[in-house]
């Protein structure tokens, strides 16, 4: 996939986008966000969207999933999909990250950048930063977790301890 930057986007913008997704499916109050179910339902709003589960050996070891934004398909390793179905926090986060890539491109379009030497990429336009931010905001929503302890967040939101810690540090902002 070609490298691309995206329209600069703040955490606040991204939080708003995750709320729009929650509202679209009536999930504003859902602490345990059903990422796998949403994969199945996204096509109701984006008819060209699809996802594909592939055998683990089809992707490199350190690549759990990827989003082909041009063809509107999310490709997920079987073990990651199964893990997410079984509630494994890291795998749920991976799928939320890919949904983030997809929706951020739908919301803001692509800015293909072929020559990165001309200008360094800023954090807020880095698609990876944006997708990570989206995943954290989607699975650990500020409006539901404020005041909650880390163990409650891990259990109720279905995320890893690392993700819960990072996200709890952002909810005040
Ligand atoms: Zn990514």
């Amino acid at each position: 996939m070609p490298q691309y930057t995206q329209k600069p986007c703040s955490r606040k913008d991204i939080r708003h986008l995750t709320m729009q997704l929650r509202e679209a499916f009536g999930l504003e109050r859902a602490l345990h966000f059903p990422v796998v179910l949403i994969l199945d339902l996204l096509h109701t709003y984006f008819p060209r969207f699809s996802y594909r589960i592939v055998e683990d050996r089809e992707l490199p070891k350190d690549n759990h999933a990827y989003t082909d934004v041009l063809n509107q398909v999310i490709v997920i390793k079987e073990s990651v999909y199964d893990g997410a179905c079984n509630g494994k926090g890291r795998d749920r986060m991976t799928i939320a990250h890919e949904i983030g890539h997809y929706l951020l491109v739908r919301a803001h379009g692509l800015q293909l950048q072929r020559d990165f030497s001309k200008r360094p990429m800023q954090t807020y336009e880095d698609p990876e930063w944006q997708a990570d931010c989206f995943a954290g905001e989607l699975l650990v929503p500020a409006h539901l977790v404020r005041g909650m302890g880390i163990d409650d967040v891990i259990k109720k939101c279905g995320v890893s301890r690392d993700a819960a810690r990072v996200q709890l540090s952002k909810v005040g902002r």
Side-chain angles (χ1 to χ4, degrees):
M1 195 171 80
Q3 276 190 298
Y4 61 92
T5 61
Q6 264 170 206
K7 196 184 119 191
C9 209
S10 67
R11 179 170 292 276
K12 196 171 153 224
D13 298 331
I14 292 171
R15 187 171 288 174
H16 181 68
L17 186 62
T18 63
M19 267 314 280
Q20 286 182 304
L21 177 63
R22 285 176 166 270
E23 283 162 13
F25 292 103
L27 291 167
E28 297 94 319
R29 308 290 309 164
L31 258 176
H32 197 272
F33 191 85
V35 273
V36 175
L37 177 67
I38 293 309
L39 271 182
D40 276 328
L41 296 178
L42 262 188
H43 73 94
T44 56
Y45 288 98
F46 303 100
R48 290 195 56 214
F49 172 81
S50 66
Y51 71 94
R52 208 152 56 79
I53 297 159
V54 297
E55 286 185 40
D56 282 15
R57 62 183 163 77
E58 289 185 49
L59 290 185
K61 197 163 180 278
D62 56 351
N63 194 354
H64 303 293
Y66 68 90
T67 301
D68 178 341
V69 290
L70 299 178
N71 292 307
Q72 305 200 29
V73 59
I74 292 178
V75 178
I76 308 162
K77 268 185 181 168
E78 193 174 21
S79 61
V80 172
Y81 181 80
D82 290 345
C85 290
N86 292 327
K88 192 172 167 193
R90 196 194 65 176
D91 294 332
R92 285 169 44 75
M93 193 59 84
T94 296
I95 291 178
H97 175 102
E98 299 307 328
I99 291 174
H101 276 308
Y102 182 73
L103 291 181
L104 284 155
V105 169
R106 296 264 74 71
H108 299 144
L110 274 180
Q111 291 179 340
L112 288 169
Q113 189 161 328
R114 293 194 165 75
D115 186 1
F116 278 92
S117 63
K118 280 182 184 154
R119 184 174 64 86
M121 183 161 26
Q122 304 299 310
T123 303
Y124 289 134
E125 62 186 7
D126 176 356
E128 292 312 319
W129 179 84
Q130 291 188 7
D132 278 344
C133 180
F134 180 96
E137 292 290 333
L138 183 66
L139 297 192
V140 186
H143 70 291
L144 298 182
V145 304
R146 255 184 214 110
M148 221 184 251
I150 188 164
D151 288 313
D152 267 352
V153 170
I154 293 166
K155 200 160 70 187
K156 292 182 176 161
C157 299
V159 295
S160 69
R161 180 165 294 273
D162 280 351
R165 189 183 318 109
V166 169
Q167 203 56 28
L168 274 175
S169 73
K170 314 285 186 199
V171 298
R173 293 183 203 171

